[in-house]
Amino acid sequence: MIKKCLFPVAGYGTRFLPATKAMPKEMLPIVNKPLVQYGVEEAVEAGMDEICFVTGRGKQALEDHFDISYELEHQIAGTGKEELLTHIRDLIERATFSYTRQNAMKGLGHAILMGRRLVGDAPFGVVLADDLCLNEGGEGVLAQMARLYRQFRCSIVAVMEVPKERISSYGVIAGEAVSDNIIRVTSMVEKPPAEEAPSNLAVIGRYILTPDIFDIIEQTPPGKNGEVQITDALLTQARESCVMAYRFEGRRFDCGSVPGFVEATNYCFEHLYSASED
Ligand code: G1P
């Protein structure tokens, strides 16, 4: 059973300035719920109720969000508004939240390494909250991956097909098909030019990692953009042992970009919000 899930949330969110000037990008709301809460709900649904944040300066609002707000709750107690907090209160009760800081922006691999003490020596999930994954009426993406982990006992990355003109924004994998939606990874490149991409299968922000990845990251030199890339560490792991790529069921929205964010907002308003209003 995987219990821990790591959320690297130290990034500045420059694509959303000025909205993110004084507010963490993970707190941007998709309709009436901050982006990060969708990710935490997905992790908890998958049984990963020990949430570990790798955070940074200016991210205080995240800690406050996953805590009781006494004044506010006292103020709305007994009113019709109380129920708006029921869900987040349950989440806070069901999960634990730990925080550590990444004090240098050295890439996703480095951010994950900073979580080592929080995670310890067990397999763990990683959620990039920018990627909103929904599988309405079905199992969440992390829960699907946790199930696969029980089968393969190795690191797993979630992948999806991406048009050629957008492939250079992603980690890209190639490998041998194990079944319709599972591929054993043999090649993995961070943000390749379209003509050098080994396939059209892009890694999205959901990972299950075995703890040997930490030693591998420590040995991984800076790669693309001079940053320590989890993609490079995973390629080493794929060569030394095994990494599986999984074409998940559900939808993924790139909420790190304005068009993806708007698309997610419209989708959630239509499919989730109106349903919860009934
Ligand atoms: C990160 C990873 C990349 C992955 C992407 C998914 O990139 O480095 O391999 O494909 O997340 O969203 P970022 O988007 O943070 O630059």
Side-chain angles (χ1 to χ4, degrees), residues 108 128 131 169-171 190-191 203-205 207 229 231 252:
L108 180 56
L128 308 185
D131 280 337
S169 305
Y170 295 91
E190 179 67 9
K191 303 193 174 85
V203 177
I204 60 112
Y207 306 78
Q229 300 293 347
T231 306
R252 170 261 183 185

Side-chain angles (χ1 to χ4, degrees), residues 130-175:
D130 279 0
D131 280 337
L132 172 60
C133 292
L134 298 171
N135 187 24
E136 227 194 321
E139 209 179 18
V141 175
L142 263 189
Q144 296 168 36
M145 294 170 75
R147 201 154 36 77
L148 273 194
Y149 174 77
R150 290 194 282 278
Q151 190 182 341
F152 292 106
R153 304 273 157 183
C154 67
S155 290
I156 298 169
V157 297
V159 293
M160 64 183 271
E161 284 179 19
V162 160
K164 197 172 179 195
E165 62 276 15
R166 291 216 298 272
I167 201 79
S168 62
S169 305
Y170 295 91
V172 184
I173 68 112

